Amino acid sequence: MAQLCKKLFQVPCRIFKKATTIRSISTTKCTWDSYEGDGKTTVTILNREHRHLIMFDSLTEMGFKLNNGIFVIGPVAAFPRTVLQWNVPSVEYITIESLSLFAVLEPKLDIFILGTGDHLKLPSPEVMNFLKSKKIAVEVLPTEKACATFNFLNVEGRCIGGAFMPPENVNVYEEDSFKLTPPKASPTGYIM
């Protein structure tokens, strides 16, 4: 184990603190010290636990990856257990006719979530008035936030529907990307 730690880190290891868990790494021993009280903390990944519901795992400029492994290209109309390709290229092209499916569903939707791409873009006033006349609550958000809201409300068991446009740009943050080079040590010995 010591050899593995030396190969992986190649620097003097330090103690890192995070929440209630302390991770101790040395070149001779690797241990995890954590809370050992009455009930241990557990984490549930909703997308894995609720396979019978449609949820969004990730999104790209091309479309959406769902929790059931399917990748849907382009804009989508989503419901708790169904997803359809939606033939609307952008928010500017949303019409009353393109939203008619959401208005005739039975039981009536509790909330309609509209994901508008990278940034918040409101549809035309006629479209908003149409949804209001059908007594459908509307939440308009950038697509990334709209997908998260859809997932959350779907797990809660709400009667929801959504229409989502893929974003034009997807930000990949440093901690989300894979690095093929080993970490570098600073002069103080901490990993950068």
Side-chain angles (χ1 to χ4, degrees):
M1 186 60 122
Q3 293 298 329
L4 178 62
C5 287
K6 284 181 184 177
K7 283 183 181 178
L8 289 175
F9 298 105
Q10 297 181 5
V11 295
C13 295
R14 304 285 186 239
I15 295 175
F16 300 96
K17 293 183 179 182
K18 185 175 184 181
T20 60
T21 303
I22 299 174
R23 181 179 174 195
S24 305
I25 301 174
S26 69
T27 56
T28 58
K29 181 178 167 186
C30 292
T31 62
W32 290 87
D33 300 323
S34 63
Y35 172 72
E36 296 290 335
D38 294 333
K40 289 190 175 185
T41 303
T42 60
V43 175
T44 300
I45 300 173
L46 295 176
N47 291 15
R48 306 288 179 254
E49 294 289 320
H50 296 279
R51 286 230 173 258
H52 62 284
L53 297 175
I54 293 293
M55 289 200 273
F56 295 94
D57 270 353
S58 60
L59 55 110
T60 69
E61 296 92 346
M62 296 294 295
F64 303 88
K65 183 176 181 200
L66 306 176
N67 63 328
N68 59 9
I70 294 173
F71 187 86
V72 183
I73 296 174
V76 297
F79 305 95
R81 290 182 172 79
T82 308
V83 67
L84 307 166
Q85 285 187 306
W86 194 42
N87 194 20
V88 177
S90 68
V91 177
E92 295 80 26
Y93 292 96
I94 296 175
T95 63
I96 292 171
E97 292 80 29
S98 66
L99 295 177
S100 60
L101 172 64
F102 299 99
V104 297
L105 292 174
E106 209 43 59
K108 188 173 70 90
L109 296 178
D110 291 337
I111 189 166
F112 172 72
I113 302 165
L114 179 62
T116 61
D118 294 330
H119 306 287
L120 180 64
K121 301 173 202 159
L122 292 175
S124 69
E126 296 85 33
V127 168
M128 296 301 283
N129 289 335
F130 168 73
L131 292 168
K132 187 177 178 180
S133 73
K134 298 295 182 183
K135 295 185 170 80
I136 298 173
V138 181
E139 187 72 35
V140 182
L141 298 164
T143 299
E144 189 172 355
K145 291 179 182 179
C147 289
T149 302
F150 180 88
N151 288 350
F152 180 76
L153 293 173
N154 202 5
V155 169
E156 276 191 344
R158 304 280 297 272
C159 187
I160 57 170
F164 306 95
M165 308 284 172
E168 292 178 16
N169 300 303
V170 175
N171 294 326
V172 178
Y173 299 99
E174 185 174 338
E175 61 267 10
D176 293 336
S177 64
F178 292 102
K179 292 185 179 180
L180 298 176
T181 59
K184 296 180 183 177
S186 69
T188 60
Y190 291 101
I191 296 175
M192 298 180 72

